[in-house]
Structures are given as structure tokens and as C-alpha cells.
Amino acid sequence: QAQLVESGGGLVQAGGSLRLSCAASGRTFSRNTMGWFRQAPGKEREFVGAITWSGDYTYYADSVKGRFTISRDNTKNTVYLQMNSLKPEDTAVYHCAARLVGTTQFEYWGQGTLVTVSE
């Protein structure tokens, strides 16, 4: 059973940093583009960013560009989201997801980790 498990969330003050991890088990995702999404209370889920299987290319939402960095370690089957200069509006549950090879569909999802940014 393929599984993605996020960790690293918590409470941080505005301007602070957190690093989220997404560990895969049950199968390897080393050939999959991996993405991060977030959902704030009462809002739709939104795309945060993604990284290609090789790590050569990353993509970010305008709202996090320049502050967040996605990386991956395929030897550990883990993807990371480094979040700097956090703002209260970054408060959300953050999910990682794996995109099916050859498609634009994210098929596998983690349960999420909560990030709360205080004023």
C-alpha cells in the first residue's frame, strides 16, 4: 500500500521558518513529480509548488515564490518543503502528493500536517 506521510508542521511566529518532510512508503516515487498543496480553514485547496522526479525543475505559486523551496532525496524517498519568511496567511494544512507518470493528475496524497503562523 503506497503511503505518503508529512511531518514537520507546528506553530511558528511570523517571519520564522519550518521545514516539512514527506516520506513515501510502500513503493518508490523516484520517477514521479511531487507536489505540495495547502488548505486553509474555509478555503479551497491550493497548489504550493512541485518538483520533477530528477529535482532539476521546481515550480511555485506566486504567493510563495522566493520564500519556499522544494527539494527531494530519492535515495530516502522523501520530499521537503523549506518555508522561510512565514506569514499568517501561510497558515494551513499542508499536503504532499505524487503525480502519476505521464499525466497531470496527482494520485497519491498524504494526510497533511498543520502549519500555524502567529502574528
Side-chain angles (χ1 to χ4, degrees), residues 79-101:
V79 180
Y80 304 97
L81 178 65
Q82 177 67 44
M83 305 185 294
N84 298 329
S85 302
L86 283 162
K87 305 175 182 180
E89 51 263 44
D90 293 319
T91 295
V93 176
Y94 285 72
H95 300 266
C96 67
R99 199 169 78 182
L100 290 178
V101 176

Side-chain angles (χ1 to χ4, degrees), residues 21-84:
S21 299
C22 171
S25 62
R27 58 158 284 179
T28 179
F29 290 99
S30 61
R31 290 292 179 177
N32 298 75
T33 291
M34 301 294 293
W36 284 95
F37 295 77
R38 67 186 182 186
Q39 187 165 19
K43 294 189 177 181
E44 297 285 320
R45 184 174 64 199
E46 66 170 339
F47 172 78
V48 173
I51 184 167
T52 56
W53 71 269
S54 64
D56 287 345
Y57 297 97
T58 53
Y59 309 88
Y60 299 96
D62 287 343
S63 58
V64 306
K65 201 172 294 182
R67 300 187 298 122
F68 290 11
T69 303
I70 298 175
S71 60
R72 66 190 299 164
D73 184 341
N74 286 338
T75 65
K76 297 181 179 179
N77 224 8
T78 301
V79 180
Y80 304 97
L81 178 65
Q82 177 67 44
M83 305 185 294
N84 298 329

Side-chain angles (χ1 to χ4, degrees), residues 6-11 18-21 83 113-116:
E6 302 92 338
S7 62
L11 174 64
L18 279 177
R19 188 176 83 152
L20 307 184
S21 299
M83 305 185 294
T113 185
L114 176 63
V115 172
T116 304

